[in-house]
Amino acid sequence: MGGAVSAGEDNDELIDNLKEAQYIRTELVEQAFRAIDRADYYLQPGLSFLNLGSGTGYLSSMVGLILGPFGVNHGVELHPDVIEYAKQKLDFFIRTSDSFDKFDFCEPSFVPGNCLELSPDCSQYDRVYCGAGVQKEHEDYMKSLLKVGGILVMPLEEKLTKITRTGPSAWETKKILAVSFAPLVQPRRSESGKSRLVQLPPLAVRSLQDLARIAIRGAIKKVIHQEAVSRNGDGLKATPRFKRRRVRRRRMETIVFLDKEVFASRISNPSEDNSCEGLGEEQREEEEQNPAEMKPEPPVNFLREKVLSLPLPDPLKYYLLYYRDK
């Protein structure tokens, strides 16, 4: 979502902008967005995030765009084949999406296993999300995954619940919304009778080479922003509003005869519906009068263009671009 669209003075204004831009199209989705204030579950660069039941990796990839290169982004998924699919989609996103170059990405790491069998010595996290229904008996286990100051969001006993850890043994709980999720799969014991502990990825330290790439890309983005400021005044371009074509539907005339008579339904003939006359001609006139509003310009990946124009060896250019496809 563009910056002008995904912003607002408060949560309601944000949702209004998303509706106007046609990102939110149904009443149910609108109600869900309004029920959870983004400020209650915000993410910042550098935080650690644990996604329990990470599935196809969609949420983990979205969060990775927010966390930045120095965050932690871990996911646990029960089904190994789903993890393989998530890795394929992640690789495709990194190689082909222009959005990748607009952010400093925290690449998610996925591990297979049951999220109710995490190793007791695993790290705690700033933000934890569970995508399956949690029973009351597992509430304390889930809360133990949080750092002090951390936030946990999960479906708990048919209620989407937000839990904030305010101290070593202090919590604040808020019921947000009635929901229905498939329940967490209960752990299965191995033949030896022991549970199979899930080891989460270690907190890796980035190499000097990788840190240099992050710093260079950041410096280039600053140059691009400064150039945009000099051209446009503030560097921000208003989100273009495109006219939607007006669709006129034919009237339905229905005649109903009860008892032993017939039921009949008739759609009026196009020639009888004056509102449809000249519709195609009117659309052509609108396109001729406002061609720029009807057809948006293709996006430009300024970071890629700038890197490719640098007087550097090609292997270094492609390293800076993460060897991404055009």
Side-chain angles (χ1 to χ4, degrees), residues 245-288:
R245 289 184 177 179
R246 287 178 289 178
V247 179
R248 300 207 175 114
R249 296 178 173 83
R250 299 170 186 170
R251 294 188 299 272
M252 173 74 78
E253 297 178 357
T254 304
I255 305 173
V256 180
F257 298 92
L258 300 177
D259 200 8
K260 296 182 180 180
E261 302 297 329
V262 298
F263 291 80
S265 170
R266 182 172 69 89
I267 300 176
S268 59
N269 190 292
S271 61
E272 299 173 4
D273 190 353
N274 296 329
S275 64
C276 292
E277 291 182 1
L279 179 58
E281 185 177 329
E282 185 177 321
Q283 288 178 349
R284 285 194 297 271
E285 289 178 359
E286 287 184 358
E287 292 179 2
E288 291 173 359

Side-chain angles (χ1 to χ4, degrees), residues 135-278:
Q135 298 301 315
K136 189 67 176 178
E137 62 188 278
H138 298 304
E139 179 181 358
D140 289 341
Y141 168 86
M142 291 291 182
K143 287 156 64 173
S144 71
L145 301 174
L146 281 180
K147 294 179 179 179
V148 174
I151 297 174
L152 163 67
V153 173
M154 62 179 177
L156 179 64
E157 296 186 310
E158 304 298 320
K159 297 283 187 180
L160 189 62
T161 305
K162 172 196 167 189
I163 298 176
T164 304
R165 188 168 192 171
T166 58
S169 56
W171 315 85
E172 287 183 358
T173 301
K174 178 181 179 181
K175 302 292 185 180
I176 300 173
L177 183 70
V179 293
S180 179
F181 279 71
L184 284 173
V185 175
Q186 300 301 305
R188 296 180 180 178
R189 300 290 177 178
S190 63
E191 294 180 359
S192 63
K194 297 181 179 179
S195 61
R196 301 167 179 150
L197 294 180
V198 178
Q199 299 293 334
L200 291 172
L203 302 181
V205 178
R206 288 186 176 272
S207 67
L208 182 60
Q209 180 174 318
D210 196 19
L211 292 173
R213 172 166 59 181
I214 293 169
I216 293 171
R217 284 169 63 95
I220 295 174
K221 287 179 181 179
K222 288 182 180 179
V223 171
I224 293 172
H225 178 71
Q226 290 170 355
E227 291 176 348
V229 169
S230 63
R231 288 196 307 268
N232 305 327
D234 59 1
L236 299 177
K237 193 173 182 180
T239 303
R241 300 183 183 275
F242 306 112
K243 286 188 176 180
R244 299 173 63 193
R245 289 184 177 179
R246 287 178 289 178
V247 179
R248 300 207 175 114
R249 296 178 173 83
R250 299 170 186 170
R251 294 188 299 272
M252 173 74 78
E253 297 178 357
T254 304
I255 305 173
V256 180
F257 298 92
L258 300 177
D259 200 8
K260 296 182 180 180
E261 302 297 329
V262 298
F263 291 80
S265 170
R266 182 172 69 89
I267 300 176
S268 59
N269 190 292
S271 61
E272 299 173 4
D273 190 353
N274 296 329
S275 64
C276 292
E277 291 182 1

Side-chain angles (χ1 to χ4, degrees), residues 307-321:
V307 169
L308 293 178
S309 69
L310 295 174
L312 298 172
D314 284 346
L316 181 53
K317 293 180 182 179
Y318 293 121
Y319 175 75
L320 290 173
L321 295 171

Side-chain angles (χ1 to χ4, degrees), residues 35-50:
I36 306 175
D37 194 323
R38 182 179 62 171
D40 290 338
Y41 189 63
Y42 66 93
L43 283 163
Q44 295 176 334
L47 293 182
S48 55
F49 173 70
L50 177 62

